[in-house]
Amino acid sequence: MARFQGIDFYDLDALFSEEERMVRDTVRDWVEDRLMPVIGEAYHNRRFPTELIPELGELGVFGANLPEQYGCAELNNVAYGIIMQELERGDSGVRSFTSVQGALVMYPIYAFGSEEQRTDWLPKLASGEAIGCFGLTEPDYGSNPAGMITTAKQTSDGWLLNGAKMWITNGSMADVAIIWAQTGEIGDVKGIRGFVVPTDTPGFSAKDQEGKLSLLASDTSELVLQDVEIPDTAVLPGGSEGLKNPLMCLTQARYGISWGVVGAAMACFDEALSYSKERLMFETPIGGKQIQQVRLADMLTGITQGQLLCYRLGRMKDEGTMTPQQVSLAKRANCDMAANVAREARRLLGANGILVEYHSMRHMANLESVYTYEGTHDVHSLILGQTLTGISAF
Ligand code: TGC
Ligand code: FAD
């Protein structure tokens, strides 16, 4: 089979720097050579391909936009986005693993952590020697984390954590968890703080979420914190009070997702286009039928719009002008686009489209999770509605 080229209809390649193109080619080759041969089996067997973690570390994809001083690649945000795109071209679970590690674990330690927390954790997380997870969502507080009931009570020599976190990516594999907990009265958003919790602390446990039909090559777990005692040095001391710190982490992760899902859509488009040229029905390739050409034209249009959105968003992030609301628009639009492209690609493939050796159905199933996590499509609609009208409709 031909190596993946990736559709680039508006020649964005011409706008990327040499370094950005090099990053793309390196990660693209790694995905082609190392991930694609195992991803079907891993998905089918519901396992994250842990054997690839050291290679991902060597590639420098974890926290790739954070400083070299902490063992990171210190790339710009466009290059970081390109990494997400190329990884998700392989599988959303592998991109998710990487985004959680970088945007939701390394970023808060870097942005809100003490120097000791940074030097203790960032180099190990950058190399993949340590794995992290991010616990914000609770069983009854998904879209509305402000209501969380996991508590952190101050003791004479530290903190005592109690509660449960749900749907936590990398939860059972993690060495360290960033746990968000209420230090004041329940409902008082100003009391929410982040804690760096080693997962071998007594009272901390993780259990796999069973019964998933999406993101099968990804660890999703429930965390239970029962009288987990941690020292004062485990609090993330920096940033602001309340929910703003975790929401800032979400902005980083949503930015990466906006790029990532374009990669998944590009993979589905590529598969559908080659299939349309090869599959003969009624004695001609199905790609010669007008219905399939409309389908391909719609897919190409969505992908091209998504690529342009990411490119501009990335340049604004590098200039320091990007807003969380602009990220909401990109996350919302691109997840919707990618889910539609994957579904249409799967349909174009006919019965073969439901097989694991083709990729579109795996992407289609994965993208239902991506559409939901990091703020559902509806939540991002309401964020944009509030931005436009000044009225909260939550
Ligand atoms: P609200 O009053 O709007 O905001 C509180 C303060 O935070 C500021 N802010 C943000 N800052 C940075 N980035 C953002 N995205 C921000 N959104 C808000 C805001 O300006 C305010 O600052 P200040 O200075 O005025 O105090 O907070 P709210 O409680 O009303 O919540 C708003 C809402 C509903 C939009 C928020 O709760 C939300 O986004 N909910 C969705 C929850 C969510 O996305 N959870 C994701 C969990 S992690 C995950 O899914 C990982 S999946 C794996 C993977 O990433 O691959
Ligand atoms: P709910 O909030 O219960 O929403 C249910 C429905 O109601 C949705 O359609 C939603 O759009 C809608 N809705 C909610 N509020 C409103 C409103 N005000 N107006 C109109 N409609 C509304 N969380 C973490 O903290 N860390 C992780 O690593 C993590 N990984 C995840 C991995 C996977 C595979 C999945 C599926 C989820 C993960 N999550 C994680 C949780 C994820 O962020 C939440 O699932 C998401 O925020 C939605 O919360 P919920 O599932 O409780 O849905």
Side-chain angles (χ1 to χ4, degrees):
M1 208 175 175
R3 280 178 91 78
F4 181 76
Q5 293 302 314
I7 187 73
D8 181 14
F9 203 62
Y10 269 37
D11 195 20
L12 278 172
D13 196 59
L15 300 179
F16 290 139
S17 68
E18 201 176 316
E19 181 176 61
E20 289 159 357
R21 282 197 293 269
M22 195 190 74
V23 167
R24 180 198 56 202
D25 294 344
T26 306
V27 181
R28 186 169 283 179
D29 285 349
W30 181 86
V31 167
E32 195 73 2
D33 294 338
R34 305 292 299 151
L35 179 58
M36 296 319 288
V38 299
I39 191 59
E41 170 276 315
Y43 195 85
H44 202 55
N45 291 315
R46 298 172 166 267
R47 67 172 190 96
F48 180 79
T50 45
E51 68 276 16
L52 298 179
I53 297 172
E55 294 180 33
L56 284 164
E58 270 171 42
L59 273 177
V61 301
F62 301 136
N65 52 359
L66 298 178
E68 275 180 2
Q69 173 190 0
Y70 300 110
C72 307
E74 201 168 338
L75 296 173
N76 71 10
N77 286 291
V78 170
Y80 174 86
I82 290 172
I83 291 174
M84 297 299 135
Q85 173 190 289
E86 294 304 319
L87 291 178
E88 195 148 355
R89 202 268 286 183
D91 191 77
S92 302
V94 175
R95 194 271 309 140
S96 217
F97 177 86
T98 311
S99 335
V100 167
Q101 180 93 343
L104 296 181
V105 179
M106 295 171 72
Y107 170 80
I109 293 175
Y110 171 67
F112 317 127
S114 63
E115 200 47 42
E116 193 188 346
Q117 289 167 338
R118 291 174 181 172
T119 47
D120 274 359
W121 287 107
L122 293 181
K124 282 191 274 189
L125 289 160
S127 67
E129 189 190 333
I131 294 166
C133 70
F134 176 88
L136 180 66
T137 305
E138 298 185 359
D140 293 326
Y141 299 94
S143 297
N144 181 25
M148 68 174 64
I149 55 172
T150 293
T151 56
K153 300 277 179 224
Q154 199 142 25
T155 61
S156 53
D157 51 357
W159 296 85
L160 194 64
L161 300 184
N162 275 291
K165 296 287 175 181
M166 185 87 178
W167 300 109
I168 306 305
T169 303
N170 303 347
S172 300
M173 297 160 62
D175 301 288
V176 62
I178 303 295
I179 297 292
W180 299 95
Q182 178 56 264
T183 63
E185 297 298 315
I186 301 298
D188 170 18
V189 282
K190 291 239 175 291
I192 294 172
R193 299 198 70 178
F195 297 85
V196 183
V197 183
T199 56
D200 58 4
T201 312
F204 184 104
S205 61
K207 192 171 81 165
D208 276 355
Q209 176 65 53
E210 287 180 6
K212 282 191 303 178
L213 294 174
S214 168
L215 276 189
L216 302 187
S218 176
D219 161 17
T220 314
S221 298
E222 181 183 358
L223 308 182
V224 175
L225 299 122
Q226 198 172 2
D227 292 330
V228 174
E229 280 184 62
I230 45 169
D232 252 333
T233 51
V235 190
L236 288 171
S240 57
E241 291 177 320
L243 206 58
K244 188 165 180 155
N245 283 1
L247 291 177
M248 285 171 68
C249 302
L250 299 188
T251 292
Q252 305 306 310
R254 291 166 180 173
Y255 169 79
I257 289 171
S258 305
W259 281 87
V261 293
V262 173
M266 285 162 68
C268 296
F269 176 80
D270 197 58
E271 181 166 80
L273 180 60
S274 356
Y275 194 86
S276 77
K277 292 181 197 168
E278 285 158 15
R279 176 70 175 166
L280 302 182
M281 200 47 57
F282 297 96
E283 288 86 44
T284 49
I286 58 167
K289 312 288 181 194
Q290 289 182 354
I291 289 177
Q292 305 309 340
Q293 291 190 0
V294 171
R295 190 169 247 155
L296 290 166
D298 285 343
M299 291 162 80
L300 173 67
T301 306
I303 290 168
T304 304
Q305 288 168 342
Q307 288 171 329
L308 290 167
L309 205 53
C310 285
Y311 179 79
R312 177 68 189 137
L313 193 68
R315 290 284 182 247
M316 288 194 291
K317 188 163 171 24
D318 280 326
E319 286 159 10
T321 59
M322 181 190 88
T323 67
Q325 292 77 16
Q326 288 166 336
V327 178
S328 282
L329 189 150
K331 194 277 179 185
R332 177 177 184 271
N334 285 1
C335 288
D336 198 36
M337 175 279 290
N340 288 333
V341 165
R343 191 190 57 233
E344 291 307 317
R346 198 229 60 73
R347 289 178 179 173
L348 185 147
L349 266 66
N352 279 329
I354 71 162
L355 294 176
V356 74
E357 53 254 50
Y358 289 87
H359 305 294
S360 296
M361 183 134 175
R362 175 168 52 77
H363 283 298
M364 185 186 104
N366 282 341
L367 288 162
E368 286 302 306
S369 286
V370 185
Y371 181 94
T372 295
Y373 66 38
E374 284 288 356
T376 66
H377 189 82
D378 301 334
V379 161
H380 291 293
S381 305
L382 299 182
I383 290 172
L384 293 172
Q386 183 174 11
T387 305
L388 292 170
T389 64
I391 306 165
S392 168
F394 287 104

